[in-house]
Amino acid sequence: MQATVAVTNFLPQHPGGSKIILQLAGQDATESYDPVHPPGTLEDNLNPEDKLGRIDTETLPKKQASEQEEVSESTLPSINEALNLDDIEELATRKLSRKAWAYYFSAGDDLLSKRWNNEAYKSILLRPRVFIDCELCDVSTTILGEKVGLPIYVSPAAMARLAHPSGEAGIAQACSKFGAMQLISNNASMTPEQIVADAQPDQVFGWQLYGQTDQKKSEDMLARINRLSRIKFVCLTLDAPVPGKREHDERSQNIASNLPVTSAVQTGSTRKPAGAASSNSDSGGGIGQQLFAGTSPKLTWKRTLPWLAKHTSLPIVLKGIQTHEDAHIASQHTPQVKAIILSNHGGRAADTAPPALHTLLEIRKYCPEVLNTIEVLVDGGIRRGTDVVKALCLGARAVGIGRAALWGLGAAGPAGVERTLQSKFS
């Protein structure tokens, strides 16, 4: 028996638009709904009179067979046979649905920034020094004064339950084995309370914030985060003021018509300005576009940081710095701003934006004092342990992995994320 709900009154408010709900009308939507909605979403968003009761799912029309045949686990290599991220990504690709793969793999336009993120590391050579005692190597460090076991953290990556039922909590479980930090996505498929519930006492989390057009939504979310002692800072994302054009996502057999994708907390306004065209979500855009419904494009240095100071005393990390000029400006906003993350959103926003490594080199050349004023982290394109070493040698405090954690989760659940982290330093 499944719950039956009336969504007519909720349609205009749904962050992903009405089309994806209407195409599931009269059907059992459990498979589409559960991976991307935390418990309590219906209760929080529907009126009591919209809850109609329960229905026997055996009386409903049967769904058509999935476009992707089930892959037998016995025919796949084990996660322990995966030696690097390429192996892990290949294994996950064979196990994930086409829709989930397209969302994780996709990037802006021609995927140039996504490709350059990694190629930038390949273009830099190591200069190994010798006669150094390497018997005992300590890879622990601190981030914003918090002790972590690795200079590698998990970047905010949305919709983890598309990869595995354990979702973001599964990533947290894997991070705990290494003392690695996790940045929880604003568009996580679980609530922040669920994600940190079973964390170790010394485990470190940050919370990613997208400013909403309805500021009250953001303020309510910050109030929740302020009550969670395990979350040590707020990470304001700046590199995607509007959704990128991710064609793999959009082409994946009209994902929007088959997969409702509101997130655990993404409940921003969907009101359109006067004269605006129909929304991307109602015209069948991909998951990425739907997740950006309600995200504000109006953030500024002068307006947003003072607003944040009114609603949280947590340290602020600015994610998405892509030039040395902005890095310099950020360094002038201490002590509120404690760190910056050099990032082009994994190549998922503005294609041809520079790799984070290039921005790090710019900072070293034009304003090296930034590295001594605030902590500088980088993400995007980290696939090998040597990539981590290069970023650290050039001044980064730590490096983030986003897709890599999702590939690991899709390949083998929390054990796959463990294998992903292990592959970076073994």
Side-chain angles (χ1 to χ4, degrees):
M1 302 289 286
Q2 294 289 353
T4 306
V5 296
V7 294
T8 303
N9 295 329
F10 178 67
L11 284 178
Q13 306 169 40
H14 186 242
S18 60
K19 181 178 179 180
I20 54 180
I21 294 181
L22 292 173
Q23 294 207 356
L24 287 165
Q27 303 176 41
D28 181 2
T30 305
E31 286 185 22
S32 298
Y33 176 91
D34 275 355
V36 291
H37 296 79
T41 302
L42 283 175
E43 290 76 7
D44 291 344
N45 288 281
L46 296 181
N47 297 319
E49 60 269 23
D50 294 327
K51 300 163 190 175
L52 305 181
R54 306 188 75 80
I55 190 171
D56 182 355
T57 55
E58 293 300 316
T59 65
L60 295 173
K62 301 300 179 185
K63 289 186 177 182
Q64 295 181 352
S66 170
E67 88 279 359
Q68 181 169 329
E69 293 183 11
E70 293 245 346
V71 178
S72 171
E73 291 283 339
S74 62
T75 66
L76 297 174
S78 74
I79 191 62
N80 291 329
E81 296 175 77
L83 302 181
N84 53 49
L85 185 54
D86 289 339
D87 293 347
I88 294 169
E89 182 176 341
E90 181 181 355
L91 179 56
T93 298
R94 294 174 66 181
K95 296 177 75 171
L96 291 173
S97 70
R98 177 71 182 179
K99 298 179 183 72
W101 173 86
Y103 174 61
Y104 292 160
F105 180 85
S106 64
D109 290 344
D110 298 309
L111 284 67
L112 295 175
S113 288
K114 179 187 176 186
R115 187 175 78 237
W116 294 340
N117 280 346
N118 180 248
E119 289 181 354
Y121 285 98
K122 293 179 181 178
S123 69
I124 291 181
L125 303 182
L126 293 172
R127 298 179 63 248
R129 301 295 299 274
V130 298
F131 262 151
I132 304 295
D133 186 349
C134 301
E135 182 181 8
L136 299 176
C137 297
D138 182 5
V139 295
S140 66
T141 187
T142 60
I143 301 177
L144 300 182
E146 302 289 340
K147 183 71 179 291
V148 293
L150 294 176
I152 304 167
Y153 65 93
V154 174
S155 299
M159 297 291 125
R161 287 173 69 206
L162 288 175
H164 190 268
S166 65
E168 290 82 5
I171 294 175
Q173 178 184 331
C175 287
S176 71
K177 301 293 180 66
F178 301 93
M181 184 179 77
Q182 180 181 359
L183 250 172
I184 301 172
S185 172
N186 187 97
N187 293 319
S189 54
M190 303 175 74
T191 67
E193 293 86 355
Q194 291 171 324
I195 296 167
V196 306
D198 296 321
Q200 297 299 310
D202 57 350
Q203 202 164 340
V204 180
F205 295 89
W207 170 259
Q208 180 201 34
L209 176 68
Y210 283 115
Q212 299 290 291
T213 52
D214 181 351
Q215 280 196 333
K216 182 65 164 56
K217 304 283 187 183
S218 297
E219 291 164 6
D220 290 346
M221 194 64 229
L222 285 168
R224 276 173 69 184
I225 297 305
N226 290 336
R227 293 192 292 268
L228 295 174
S229 61
R230 296 186 187 277
I231 296 180
K232 305 301 184 183
F233 60 91
V234 171
C235 176
L236 180 65
T237 291
L238 305 173
D239 51 12
V242 295
K245 188 172 184 290
R246 307 172 191 173
E247 294 175 4
H248 281 86
D249 189 5
E250 294 183 40
R251 284 191 179 121
S252 186
Q253 299 186 4
N254 193 12
I255 293 173
S257 68
N258 298 310
L259 186 62
V261 290
T262 185
S263 70
V265 296
Q266 178 86 0
T267 53
S269 167
T270 56
R271 293 190 298 270
K272 293 177 291 187
S278 62
S279 69
N280 286 327
S281 53
D282 280 336
S283 62
I287 294 176
Q289 289 188 351
Q290 294 168 38
L291 290 179
F292 273 87
T295 300
S296 174
K298 298 181 179 180
L299 308 186
T300 67
W301 295 103
K302 292 184 178 180
R303 181 167 56 228
T304 306
L305 289 176
W307 166 78
L308 263 179
K310 292 179 181 178
H311 296 284
T312 185
S313 59
L314 290 171
I316 302 301
V317 175
L318 300 180
K319 179 181 181 294
I321 300 298
Q322 296 169 83
T323 65
H324 74 270
E325 292 94 339
D326 282 340
H328 178 67
I329 295 172
S331 71
Q332 296 177 321
H333 285 82
T334 58
Q336 182 186 17
V337 174
K338 298 289 189 184
I340 57 175
I341 300 177
L342 311 183
S343 174
N344 59 22
H345 213 80
R348 292 161 78 83
D351 199 22
T352 71
L357 191 63
H358 285 190
T359 309
L360 183 59
L361 291 169
E362 271 193 26
I363 292 171
R364 287 182 62 88
K365 181 175 182 180
Y366 296 111
C367 50
E369 67 277 4
V370 168
L371 296 169
N372 296 319
T373 306
I374 55 176
E375 295 185 9
V376 176
L377 293 74
V378 301
D379 75 14
I382 305 290
R383 297 187 71 86
R384 292 281 189 178
T386 49
D387 301 336
V388 178
V389 171
K390 291 171 184 178
L392 298 180
C393 288
L394 290 170
R397 169 72 66 166
V399 303
I401 57 171
R403 284 189 186 89
L406 295 174
W407 295 134
L409 197 67
V417 184
E418 289 182 37
R419 188 67 172 171
T420 298
L421 289 168
Q422 187 181 47
S423 73
K424 296 293 185 293
F425 67 87
S426 62

